[in-house]
Amino acid sequence: MRLKDKVALITGGSSGIGRETALLFAKEGAAVVVADVNDVAGQETADLIKAQGGQAVYVRADVSKAADCENMVAVAEQTFGKLNVVFNNAGIMHSDDDNAVTTEESVWDLTMNINVKGVFFGCKYAIPALRRAGGGSIINTASFVALLGAATPQVAYTASKGAVLSMSRELAVIHARENIRVNALCPGPLRTELLMKFLNTEEKKQRRLVHIPMGRFGEAKEMAYAVLYLASDESSYVTGTEFLVDGGITAAYVTPE
């Protein structure tokens, strides 16, 4: 078991990458704190883990609110006695996110509050807990668009993920001597509800797929296995990375025939 005796906190744990990672972490021996704003689906994730014989608790947390993030860390320590792994995964991709001219300020602010401030708060309140545990691993969900411009305009989302990558690098450097590792997971386009709601026409889907050498969208479970590696002691010398799991999209500038 690759996470035996570890305690992990996962935000956005009600669906997609968050749920798949929570289930996988539990199978690998971790006690899991599932944080989300979707109470029904978040509790369902925790119940699925318990049904498989694992340990889990659900806590409601709006990651854009400092008090909620402070509380979710407190719940982890109070329930399981420590915190070893933090997966700051909660994020949004707003349907009205477009180019700089047409995107409303409110869409920009909401995206930044959840995608960037949420990661900042997750780190702000988790790092002291990781110190108390003698170190640990933080994984922040960025995106391949932190490195490339998106084929479909989504300026707020793209900017937010660039910020997550930069923040992860800096925190990795600051805390490297404390046995606290920080890495940014950079998924390629995934077949998750978050992206599929955004790519809501066949034309939009094809505009993405044409850039992916593997010719398909990734799956949430494929991201979960990458997060598992970054959370485990197998990645003990890995910090400050842009951990790309993208089907080759950032390696290509033309589409293979």
Side-chain angles (χ1 to χ4, degrees):
M1 286 186 139
R2 297 162 74 182
L3 297 179
K4 186 171 165 41
D5 299 326
K6 293 189 185 292
V7 177
L9 168 62
I10 298 173
T11 68
S14 71
S15 63
I17 299 173
R19 173 174 282 188
E20 290 292 343
T21 302
L23 295 171
L24 183 59
F25 275 19
K27 284 180 186 173
E28 292 292 338
V32 181
V33 179
V34 179
D36 210 294
V37 290
N38 185 330
D39 293 336
V40 173
Q43 186 61 56
E44 186 177 68
T45 299
D47 291 342
L48 286 168
I49 290 170
K50 292 176 191 173
Q52 295 172 357
Q55 297 182 78
V57 64
Y58 170 71
V59 58
R60 180 178 178 81
D62 176 347
V63 296
S64 69
K65 296 179 179 174
D68 283 16
C69 291
E70 188 173 19
N71 180 64
M72 70 186 184
V73 172
V75 167
E77 290 191 305
Q78 289 162 9
T79 307
F80 298 117
K82 60 177 180 173
L83 182 61
N84 308 106
V85 178
V86 181
F87 182 27
N88 289 310
N89 169 67
I92 65 163
M93 182 184 291
H94 201 287
S95 57
D96 293 331
D97 190 359
D98 198 67
N99 59 46
V101 176
T102 60
T103 300
E104 295 291 338
E105 183 180 0
S106 59
V107 171
W108 174 274
D109 287 346
L110 180 64
T111 302
M112 291 296 166
N113 284 342
I114 295 171
N115 291 7
V116 184
K117 192 189 286 186
V119 171
F120 165 67
F121 283 152
C123 294
K124 180 180 181 67
Y125 295 107
I127 285 169
L130 295 179
R131 284 175 176 152
R132 289 190 283 273
S137 176
I138 297 173
I139 304 100
N140 298 325
T141 300
S143 170
F144 78 99
V145 299
L147 301 161
L148 298 177
T152 305
Q154 47 176 47
V155 68
Y157 181 84
T158 296
S160 75
K161 293 306 184 178
V164 170
L165 177 55
S166 296
M167 188 186 343
S168 302
R169 286 185 181 132
E170 175 146 330
L171 291 172
V173 172
I174 292 169
H175 300 287
R177 300 292 177 95
E178 297 180 84
N179 194 33
I180 294 172
R181 298 183 296 107
V182 186
N183 291 286
L185 176 73
C186 294
L190 304 182
R191 195 169 59 83
T192 59
E193 184 184 357
L194 183 73
L195 182 61
M196 292 302 105
K197 271 200 310 193
F198 194 79
L199 303 182
N200 54 8
T201 66
E202 192 57 35
E203 182 188 6
K204 285 183 179 179
K205 288 184 176 70
Q206 289 306 316
R207 281 182 69 185
R208 282 293 171 85
L209 285 172
V210 76
H211 294 288
I212 306 171
M214 293 182 85
R216 66 172 177 86
F217 292 108
E219 301 292 338
K221 192 160 191 176
E222 293 175 305
M223 303 306 115
Y225 278 109
V227 181
L228 174 61
Y229 168 70
L230 293 172
S232 75
D233 293 337
E234 294 163 18
S235 59
S236 55
Y237 199 54
V238 179
T239 196
T241 68
E242 51 206 46
F243 202 84
L244 284 156
V245 190
D246 68 354
I249 193 170
T250 54
Y253 76 98
V254 292
T255 312
E257 293 300 327

